[in-house]
Every structure is written in C-alpha cells, then in structure tokens.
Amino acid sequence: MNKLLSEVDPQVVEITTKDLARQQNTLMLIPSENYASRAVMEIQGSILANKYAEGYPGERYYNGCEFMDEVESLAIDRAKALFGAEHVNVQPHAGSQANMAVYHALLQPGDTILGMSLSQGGHLTHGAHVNFSGNLYNIAAYGVDADTEQIDMDDVGRLAEEHRPKLIVVGATAYPRHFDFASWRQVADSVGAYLLADIAHIAGLIAGGAHPDPVPYSDVVTTTTHKTLRGPRGAMIMCRSEYADKIDRAVFPGLQGGPFLHTIAARAVAFKEASEPEFKKYQGQIVKNAKALAARLIENGFRLVSGGTDNHLMLIDLTSKYEKMSGRQAADHLEDAGIIVNKNTIPFDKRKPRTTSGLRLGTPMVTTRGMEEDAMVQIADFITEALEGRQKNSIKQRIQEKVKEFCTQFPIYEYLN
Ligand code: DSN
C-alpha cells in the first residue's frame, strides 16, 4: 500500500511522462481543454477517492461521511458565492450527465426541447439524433443566420412559437460570440419554457467577468468544471431554489450512485482559485489573446466564421483559402507541426462531421502558460506556415522544432520535471 507509483507500475509512469512532454512541447489550442493547477491535481489523487458517500451532506446512505459532508458543503458554498447561484449540485460526473439530470428533473420523454444544432455549434446533449437527448425527447433546433453566422434571436423566437418547447437550451461548443441571456429569457417566457444555460465552455469567462452572466436569467445552469474554469474533470448544476429537490433527486438516485468526493474536493479548490483576483485577469487575457490570434489569422488570409470572436474560441473556414483541404487534414498537418486543434464543422458545412471544413481553436491553455498577445501573433504565423507548407514534411518538422523551442519560454508543471 505504501509503494510509489514508479515502483508499482513503471509502464504507466512512462506513458504519463511522454504525455507530459507532449503537453510541454506542443501548442494546445483545443478550446475545451486546460491545464489544471498543481493544487487541483494533488487533491484528485488524494485519500478522498477511497470513500463512498451516496446521498448529500447530512443525508448519506453510508456511515463515516463526516468529512465528505464537510468538503462537499465547502464546494457547494464556494460555487454559490462564485456564480451567485441559489442552489448548486456538485455531483455530476460530467457535462452530459448534468444535462441529462436537468432533462430528467424537468421533462418527460417526448417533451420538446429547443437546442442548438450540433452541426452549427451545439452539443450532443442539446438534441443530436445520435445522443440520448435526440432519442428520448422531441427536438427542435436553432442555428445561426446564413449571412452573419450569428444566432438571430428573432429566428429563435419564431422557432419557439412554432414548436412550443418545454425547455430551451442556450449554449454551445463552437460559437465564438456572446450570448445575450436576457433575450433568451424573454423568448422562454413568451412560450412558458424553462431556460437552461449550458455554459460549459464559458464558465470561467463568466466567473471572471469576461462574458455576460446567465444566472439571473436562467432556471438552470449547467457547466463542466475543467474547461475555462480550469478545475478537475467533472460538472455541476446551478438552479433556482424551487428546482433544487427535483435536480438533486435526478442526479442521485436518478442517474448516479456514489459521488466522486476527490473530484468534488478538487472542484472546491478550483472555485477558491477562481475567486482570486488573478483569475479575473486570466479570463480577460484569454479573450484578449483570442482576439489577437483571430486578428492575425485574418491578416494571414483566413476567413473566420462570423468574422472573429468575442470569447475564448474561433472557427477557421478553410474553404476560403484551400479548396481541397478538409478540417481533418488540416488538424493532422498542424499536429505534425506541434500544434493541436480540433477539426470542426462550420455552419452549413458541405463536409461530414468526421471530415469537416473548419478548425476550432481557442486560447485557454496558452493563456494559462502565461502567453500574451505577441505570442498569439507568433502562433497564428506558425499555423499559417504549417498549412502553407503542408506538402513538405521537412517544413512541418522545422515548425515543430520552432514550436518546441517557443514552448520552452512557457513551462508547465515544472515540479514534475
Ligand atoms: N467535448 C466538449 C468540447 O470539446 O467542446 C464538449 O463537451
């Protein structure tokens, strides 16, 4: 029981060490990822992982939960203070489970949900036909306007009127613009629907004051905790007090058994970090960096969906520059050059989701490393050079070396080296 990991399993240590080098030596631009702090990682690997604690603080089905109650209550109180929420459930294991719990709490199978179409920026759980949401519920989908590539609230209002949803989901995984939550509330009220804000991508920006706040306007807000919020993998649900019991019962015993107290404790740590002044500065810098990256990419001849970004991410429309290169090919070329991005559909994409005509990239991770606007100009130039020189392995190899050298200026997890 007291042996070191390196003694018990050198093979796993070796794999992890290789990924540490990858995380250090590449530019990780996937907008939904982040580097969790040492403190967050430390508590995740702690003895809190050893305990079952089905139930909620003060009402557990297991004995020995005194300190589990204490740490879960701390996480809840910190989340409430951070977001100004009336009620918080910190137990969902992941964002999909959080959304599933909300639907389970507020809807019956067959009820209508209005959510953003997956191909235009929504999430699987917002009604995709391959997901439980699209199977169990009747889905109406909104997208973006063909000219502006932004959500048109008049169109959302018309769709709501036509389909009379019981619940409207506002939120996305690939939308580079702000959500005006007050307008969403108006649409929800006009048809008597619940409003669910899924802020998984932008939770950190919201906590740091860099994006409008959904909490005053929404019945329920869900988020993962590992994206811009920079906590451990996992999720939480915030809601108005009137829905607290339904939401809690939907999570446990409705969908889950034992909560993961080690990650709940890590959420508590992340919420503490997110309440510090540096976090606000960090979130502001994410947005400044995204704008700088977007501006340079445009200067370098790329077209960005909707013309730019207001948040942490952007979508490159590759068709504007390269007739034949798909998002999949471009993401692979960039990986060869040490730059990690997502292939992603663009609105009204003619290619399939596994191929795509776009790239999704964002700045949370490079900002965590301490990079600022001048570094974004350099990154945009690396991307441009790699895609222009894609046919030649020697060019991609040279850029990979330059990227690795560039990354040495922004070390991660020095204590692990
Ligand atoms: N998988 C997430 C993303 O990358 O956007 C959404 O849950």
Side-chain angles (χ1 to χ4, degrees):
M1 189 168 105
N2 288 315
K3 281 190 185 163
L4 290 171
L5 174 63
S6 54
E7 293 172 288
V8 175
D9 199 336
Q11 202 179 348
V12 164
V13 172
E14 195 196 325
I15 295 169
T16 309
T17 306
K18 285 190 285 194
D19 204 58
L20 174 62
R22 184 193 66 83
Q23 293 193 26
Q24 168 61 45
N25 297 330
T26 58
L27 289 164
M28 302 198 3
L29 295 169
I30 290 180
S32 49
E33 294 179 353
N34 214 329
Y35 298 102
S37 69
R38 176 179 179 166
V40 163
M41 293 199 295
E42 214 175 295
I43 191 67
Q44 280 191 100
S46 76
I47 51 94
L48 295 179
N50 296 341
K51 188 74 193 93
Y52 256 117
E54 284 181 10
Y56 290 102
E59 305 163 53
R60 303 285 189 188
Y61 288 82
Y62 284 71
N63 283 83
C65 288
E66 182 184 352
F67 305 114
M68 303 299 125
D69 286 3
E70 207 175 314
V71 81
E72 185 168 343
S73 300
L74 187 63
I76 291 168
D77 290 346
R78 285 181 179 169
K80 279 186 184 170
L82 187 63
F83 287 97
E86 289 177 13
H87 178 78
V88 177
N89 186 307
V90 289
Q91 293 195 0
H93 299 325
S96 291
Q97 279 70 28
N99 285 347
M100 189 185 247
V102 176
Y103 302 161
H104 193 48
L106 302 179
L107 308 176
Q108 295 298 321
D111 282 348
T112 300
I113 295 174
L114 177 61
M116 191 166 192
S117 128
L118 182 64
S119 64
Q120 300 222 342
H123 186 250
L124 282 167
T125 57
H126 299 174
H129 69 276
V130 290
N131 184 257
F132 81 90
S133 54
N135 284 313
L136 281 184
Y137 303 97
N138 177 43
I139 302 298
Y142 62 87
V144 294
D145 177 82
D147 293 325
T148 63
E149 297 175 304
Q150 301 195 34
I151 295 167
D152 171 358
M153 289 312 295
D154 290 338
D155 188 46
V156 175
R158 274 191 297 276
L159 286 166
E161 194 55 49
E162 182 185 340
H163 295 282
R164 311 295 298 182
K166 194 158 173 200
L167 182 142
I168 298 176
V169 190
V170 47
T173 65
Y175 186 64
R177 298 295 178 182
H178 281 169
F179 291 105
D180 170 9
F181 293 110
S183 303
W184 286 86
R185 178 77 259 166
Q186 275 176 9
V187 172
D189 284 345
S190 73
V191 292
Y194 294 113
L195 183 64
L196 163 63
D198 178 343
I199 61 167
H201 264 257
I202 52 175
L205 301 183
I206 291 165
H211 187 287
D213 182 2
V215 174
Y217 303 104
S218 311
D219 298 294
V220 186
V221 177
T222 54
T223 184
T224 48
T225 49
H226 50 274
K227 298 188 174 92
T228 48
L229 200 49
R230 214 168 57 185
R233 298 201 85 81
M236 68 175 173
I237 305 173
M238 301 175 258
C239 66
R240 297 191 173 160
S241 306
E242 60 189 294
Y243 308 119
D245 286 345
K246 279 187 179 175
I247 292 287
D248 284 352
R249 272 187 278 115
V251 175
F252 172 85
L255 297 173
Q256 293 184 180
F260 298 169
L261 264 303
H262 54 309
T263 66
I264 289 175
R267 274 165 229 172
V269 174
F271 301 149
K272 181 162 194 275
E273 291 177 338
S275 63
E276 308 286 347
E278 298 83 69
F279 190 79
K280 203 177 166 63
K281 208 166 146 232
Y282 164 62
Q283 296 297 335
Q285 191 63 47
I286 289 179
V287 176
K288 283 190 209 161
N289 282 352
K291 285 184 184 295
L293 182 59
R296 184 63 167 194
L297 286 168
I298 291 169
E299 252 178 73
N300 290 357
F302 290 98
R303 192 187 83 80
L304 300 190
V305 168
S306 84
T309 180
D310 294 328
N311 59 21
H312 63 302
L313 68 78
M314 66 214 67
L315 288 170
I316 296 178
D317 170 7
L318 290 162
T319 63
S320 62
K321 207 167 184 324
Y322 304 107
E323 210 183 306
K324 295 215 171 106
M325 185 169 34
S326 68
R328 181 178 176 167
Q329 289 166 329
D332 288 346
H333 289 309
L334 290 176
E335 184 165 359
D336 291 343
I339 301 164
I340 311 295
V341 303
N342 291 114
K343 61 176 176 286
N344 212 96
T345 51
I346 52 171
F348 312 103
D349 207 323
K350 293 192 173 63
R351 291 193 175 99
K352 296 206 158 38
R354 278 177 193 270
T355 321
T356 81
S357 299
L359 293 176
R360 183 184 75 153
L361 47 159
T363 53
M365 295 192 89
V366 289
T367 308
T368 297
R369 296 180 80 158
M371 295 184 199
E372 296 184 350
E373 288 94 318
D374 51 343
M376 299 305 118
V377 172
Q378 178 63 78
I379 293 174
D381 290 350
F382 283 145
I383 291 171
T384 310
E385 234 184 295
L387 293 182
E388 291 293 315
R390 63 193 177 281
Q391 309 295 9
K392 289 207 171 135
N393 285 337
S394 59
I395 295 183
K396 290 187 282 187
Q397 181 64 34
R398 185 167 47 78
I399 296 166
Q400 193 199 66
E401 279 154 22
K402 284 205 272 182
V403 164
K404 187 173 172 187
E405 172 63 24
F406 180 74
C407 286
T408 58
Q409 296 170 58
F410 305 97
I412 62 163
Y413 305 126
E414 283 170 287
Y415 73 102
L416 288 174
N417 289 311

